[in-house]
Amino acid sequence: MQTFRQSSEELAMDEVTYEVDGHVATITLNRPDKLNAMTDEMYQAIGAALLASDADPAVRCTIVTGTGRAFTSGHDLGEFADRTAWMPWRPERFDVGLETAKPTIAAIQGYCLAGGLELALFCDIRVCDNTAQFGCPEVRWAILHGYGALRLPGLIGSSDAMRLLLTGSFIDAAEALRVGLVSEMTAPEDLQSTARGIADQIAANGPAAIRMTKELALRGREMSLPDGLRLYQEYTRSAFASPDAKEGLRAFAERRDPNYGN
């Protein structure tokens, strides 16, 4: 296992681990005694691990998960007690502009709250087990669920999003599935295998086409239709000219699985 840390001193307890198995990277939050509440250093390590997976040509998909009874309960609020102001401390934090070209999957168990929900929202696909609970409790403490406030209305609809954001209440896994916050709910023992199965399906596809499809889906929602069509046409030309496409079409004609290299 590869273990990522900012330094041996900052993450001496392996609070964020990074493992690559085949074409799939897994980032695990490992502070179970604190419900994986994230310190400043853990935020930095998660961002850096996401960048590491994006830069690794062998990695085609990344799973983000947690240990113990929580995905993550969010930022460790004990760190806020003596602050008079908040500001992002590193530009590669996942909720202040970090973008990854490769798909990400959140595998969620137990508490997924506050900054933990924002981490899940950063991911492209979310699956959970039936113990999961989701919420944006920041307003209870007079602070903002900022990244989630930007993302939730477009993902689950205005009314459901505003109820979560403005009440600070939690929803369970079944409700998260109903509103479309997650795409699948499993038994606890099946969560990791379900996430890995989705990751393996993605990793078996053309890597360049996967990256361009994700980019088209994310950028296209912010574009006018004519601009979106121009981007689609540009990416289509690039995709058809790629070695991946030549191999994929040859494999289809020969009725075999494609071999996309790394």
Side-chain angles (χ1 to χ4, degrees):
M1 175 190 291
Q2 279 183 280
T3 300
F4 175 85
R5 54 172 72 88
Q6 285 296 108
S7 73
S8 58
E9 293 180 357
E10 287 176 336
L11 289 177
M13 298 302 292
D14 292 336
E15 290 173 338
V16 175
T17 63
Y18 176 69
E19 179 183 8
V20 177
D21 179 15
H23 293 302
V24 178
T26 301
I27 299 168
T28 304
L29 280 62
N30 187 33
R31 199 186 181 204
D33 57 320
K34 298 292 186 180
L35 298 177
N36 295 324
M38 294 178 286
T39 61
D40 288 2
E41 290 79 11
M42 288 175 69
Y43 268 93
Q44 294 172 19
I46 293 164
L50 286 163
L51 290 171
S53 68
D54 226 28
D56 187 341
V59 173
R60 298 180 183 173
C61 187
T62 301
I63 296 170
V64 183
T65 193
T67 57
R69 296 187 298 116
F71 176 69
T72 163
S73 58
H75 200 129
D76 188 338
L77 290 185
E79 294 194 335
F80 279 113
D82 297 325
R83 290 183 185 171
T84 57
W86 182 92
M87 61 180 296
W89 43 88
R90 286 178 68 96
E92 61 266 41
R93 256 187 61 156
F94 62 82
D95 59 348
V96 288
L98 173 64
E99 294 181 355
T100 60
K102 296 173 185 176
T104 52
I105 301 169
I108 302 160
Q109 84 285 1
Y111 294 112
C112 180
L113 309 176
L117 178 55
E118 291 176 326
L119 176 58
L121 292 173
F122 172 87
C123 296
D124 301 301
I125 299 169
R126 289 167 293 281
V127 296
C128 72
D129 71 19
N130 56 23
T131 71
Q133 295 189 60
F134 301 83
C136 318
E138 286 94 332
V139 289
R140 299 182 188 177
W141 322 120
I143 55 179
L144 300 184
H145 187 73
Y147 182 77
L150 294 173
R151 292 295 315 279
L152 275 170
L155 289 170
I156 67 173
S158 179
S159 183
D160 286 317
M162 294 301 267
R163 182 176 177 180
L164 271 174
L165 290 164
L166 301 181
T167 66
S169 60
F170 297 175
I171 60 173
D172 63 16
E175 180 68 0
L177 182 64
R178 184 192 73 79
V179 300
L181 183 54
V182 299
S183 59
E184 189 167 350
M185 179 178 66
T186 74
E189 61 270 20
D190 296 329
L191 176 62
Q192 296 302 324
S193 62
T194 298
R196 180 61 195 235
I198 297 169
D200 285 339
Q201 282 185 293
I202 292 170
N205 297 325
I210 288 293
R211 291 193 296 272
M212 284 187 275
T213 298
K214 173 175 173 173
E215 181 75 2
L216 187 60
L218 294 179
R219 290 180 61 188
R221 68 188 181 197
E222 300 170 353
M223 291 180 168
S224 67
L225 182 57
D227 286 343
L229 288 172
R230 280 191 286 272
L231 182 65
Y232 154 68
Q233 291 167 355
E234 176 187 339
Y235 282 2
T236 296
R237 286 191 291 270
S238 297
F240 269 101
S242 71
D244 283 355
K246 291 179 174 61
E247 167 59 16
L249 294 172
R250 188 180 302 114
F252 176 81
E254 296 172 359
R255 299 185 179 181
R256 60 173 174 81
D257 292 334
N259 178 8
Y260 292 119
N262 291 333

